[in-house]
Amino acid sequence: MRTLQVELGERSYPIYIGAGILDSIGELCAKHGISKKSPHLIVTDDKVGPHYLDSVVSRLKSEGYHVLTHVVPSGESSKSLDVYEQVMTTAIQAKLDRSSAVFALGGGVVGDLAGFVAATYMRGITFVQIPTTILAHDSSVGGKVAVNHPLAKNMIGAFHQPVMVLYDVDTLKSLPAREVSSGLAEMVKHGLILDKDFAYWCCENGHKLLALDAETLIHGLERGCAIKADVVSKDEREGGLRAILNLGHTIGHAIEAVGGYGRFLHGEAIAIGMAGSAMLAERLGRDESLYGETIRMLKAVNLPVQLPQDVSIDQIMDAMQHDKKFTEGQMVFIVPEAIGSVSIVKDVPVEAVRSVVEQLKGEG
Ligand SMILES: NC(=O)c1ccc[n+]([C@@H]2O[C@H](COP(=O)([O-])OP(=O)(O)OC[C@H]3O[C@@H](n4cnc5c(N)ncnc54)[C@H](O)[C@@H]3O)[C@@H](O)[C@H]2O)c1
Ligand SMILES: [Zn+2]
């Protein structure tokens, strides 16, 4: 088992990564001072639950913990105020108290939802993350928790750090292949923004990552989490630097929105967005090899790098306007400077972005 510490002063916490480490959940909870007197709530979804919920519950019970469960439907639609209220109802009925903990057993959806419950139940109780997707190596670090409003994603949320993250790579074996690639998009992103060697490592080891080779995954997740943790510990509340984590996300969020949050997975959308950012970088005079190298890395983990023909460029541009990053014909963009380095450019001409989106459809 590897341990990676996220340094956030008194809110610092460890990420435990390894194969089979869920077997030790009881001891780890005891180590972190989780009460054996108070009830705890495990939140999961209906695709993850059937695989892992029983074993997590029985491990905790055998260690003397009192646990209840709440299973939500799988998918982004569970990040809603309705579902939030239902989980809150379970928490209140179960008489969770100030010493109780909420456990998120699942991907980013369950993590964000359960985290927001933990952040707000009695003004904040203990939160434990048990990520079960590759994407969640990103979402489980940094403490951003939220539900969606029908008008905008992640609009209702908080910063609430977990007391520990328990990342058992064995749980990734049941992930559908598309979800594996989607999660690897964030791993590649972490290399592209801050660590050239890691970006190339992901590319060279793409086939092993896709095959869920345990050693390779553990290394990739550990390095990915470490890069994110490093950024977050320097800028916990997104005053500036943390924005670099949004590489590919301005175009990516627009692609997700235009696809109705179902057609494209998050990682697929940001992969196309990262390809677009690399094109934009070249247009802004950065190194000409950037685009070719970036798409090579994305393709190595089976990610798309082009927009399908039926996607409307006008709709993508409109959706980006909702991202509120436009002012007077210019927008803020995370622009690659080289593989492993990016900058925040505040005056990117909207026209340049439009022509990149056209090029992503093969029309540029
Ligand atoms: N808080 C943050 O900093 C942050 C960062 C990035 C993304 N996010 C959020 O994360 C969410 C996306 O996360 P995600 O991609 O993990 O989505 P997800 O939680 O919806 O999981 C993807 C799919 O895989 C299923 N699944 C999860 N684990 C599984 C397993 N081990 N075996 C089989 N099936 C499994 C889920 O039921 C779901 O259908 C988005 O809502 C996004 O906004 C948050
Ligand atoms: Zn993302």
Side-chain angles (χ1 to χ4, degrees):
M1 181 168 83
R2 315 269 182 93
T3 307
L4 178 83
Q5 186 74 4
V6 181
E7 296 295 347
L8 287 167
E10 59 185 21
R11 289 181 303 288
S12 298
Y13 62 90
I15 302 173
Y16 300 110
I17 309 179
I21 63 171
L22 267 185
D23 292 349
S24 315
I25 187 168
E27 296 100 90
L28 288 169
C29 283
K31 181 175 166 192
H32 286 274
I34 292 178
S35 163
K36 291 195 177 168
K37 293 188 186 129
S38 299
H40 306 292
L41 180 63
I42 305 175
V43 181
T44 190
D45 74 28
D46 60 12
K47 285 195 183 154
V48 179
H51 292 287
Y52 312 108
L53 186 57
D54 283 353
S55 82
V56 169
V57 168
S58 66
R59 297 265 172 211
L60 285 169
K61 283 193 171 160
S62 68
E63 212 44 49
Y65 285 101
H66 176 35
V67 288
L68 296 110
T69 61
H70 186 113
V71 182
V72 302
S74 147
E76 186 72 22
S77 58
S78 280
K79 270 175 64 174
S80 68
L81 280 176
D82 270 358
V83 176
Y84 164 80
E85 188 179 340
Q86 290 160 19
V87 181
M88 273 291 178
T89 303
T90 303
I92 295 165
Q93 287 172 342
K95 298 193 166 54
L96 262 61
D97 60 36
R98 287 190 194 285
S99 303
S100 297
V102 176
F103 292 73
L105 171 66
V109 164
V110 166
D112 282 10
L113 169 73
F116 188 53
V117 170
T120 48
Y121 186 83
M122 297 178 90
R123 300 189 182 79
I125 60 171
T126 298
F127 178 37
V128 175
Q129 289 255 35
I130 310 170
T132 64
T133 63
I134 295 177
L135 188 130
H137 88 276
D138 181 352
S139 58
S140 63
V141 180
K144 280 191 182 177
V145 294
V147 295
N148 302 326
H149 185 279
L151 293 179
K153 201 169 138 81
N154 294 331
M155 266 299 163
I156 307 159
F159 285 96
H160 192 62
Q161 304 292 347
V163 291
M164 66 169 165
V165 177
L166 233 153
Y167 215 144
D168 187 337
V169 296
D170 280 352
T171 64
L172 303 173
K173 287 181 184 154
S174 50
L175 265 183
R178 254 182 93 187
E179 297 288 352
V180 170
S181 288
S182 173
L184 291 172
E186 302 279 13
M187 191 185 282
V188 172
K189 178 196 82 180
H190 288 131
L192 288 175
I193 59 174
L194 276 175
D195 186 340
K196 178 180 171 184
D197 291 346
F198 182 55
Y200 281 102
W201 178 90
C202 290
C203 184
E204 277 149 30
N205 289 280
H207 57 292
K208 285 194 194 169
L209 290 166
L210 290 170
L212 301 174
D213 172 69
E215 274 301 300
T216 314
L217 263 181
I218 291 170
H219 176 74
L221 292 171
E222 188 179 17
R223 187 67 198 128
C225 286
I227 292 169
K228 173 137 189 204
D230 188 39
V231 173
V232 168
S233 64
K234 288 181 182 136
D235 179 20
E236 189 178 359
R237 291 190 167 242
E238 199 157 336
L241 177 74
R242 190 167 175 165
I244 68 172
L245 297 167
N246 293 331
L247 175 70
H249 281 58
T250 302
I251 295 176
H253 282 156
I255 295 172
E256 281 185 282
V258 169
Y261 294 103
R263 177 170 178 187
F264 302 95
L265 298 179
H266 179 68
E268 294 169 344
I270 67 154
I272 301 169
M274 288 191 281
S277 310
M279 279 175 187
L280 182 68
E282 289 192 20
R283 274 167 200 261
L284 299 176
R286 273 48 162 197
D287 193 295
E288 285 187 1
S289 63
L290 263 176
Y291 173 69
E293 285 298 86
T294 301
I295 64 166
R296 190 165 75 83
M297 290 171 177
L298 296 168
K299 285 179 176 171
V301 288
N302 272 351
L303 284 163
V305 294
Q306 275 201 310
L307 274 174
Q309 284 307 311
D310 63 323
V311 172
S312 145
I313 290 167
D314 286 339
Q315 281 184 3
I316 298 274
M317 296 308 292
D318 281 353
M320 264 191 270
Q321 242 133 355
H322 286 299
D323 232 5
K324 294 193 201 76
K325 288 176 187 118
F326 276 82
T327 33
E328 295 174 13
Q330 296 191 324
M331 55 190 304
V332 183
F333 241 91
I334 312 304
V335 176
E337 296 294 335
I339 299 295
S341 137
V342 293
S343 59
I344 305 172
V345 180
K346 297 199 168 132
D347 57 356
V348 174
V350 172
E351 272 319 303
V353 177
R354 188 179 177 96
S355 73
V356 159
V357 176
E358 283 166 1
Q359 199 182 336
L360 282 172
K361 250 181 89 172
E363 293 177 7

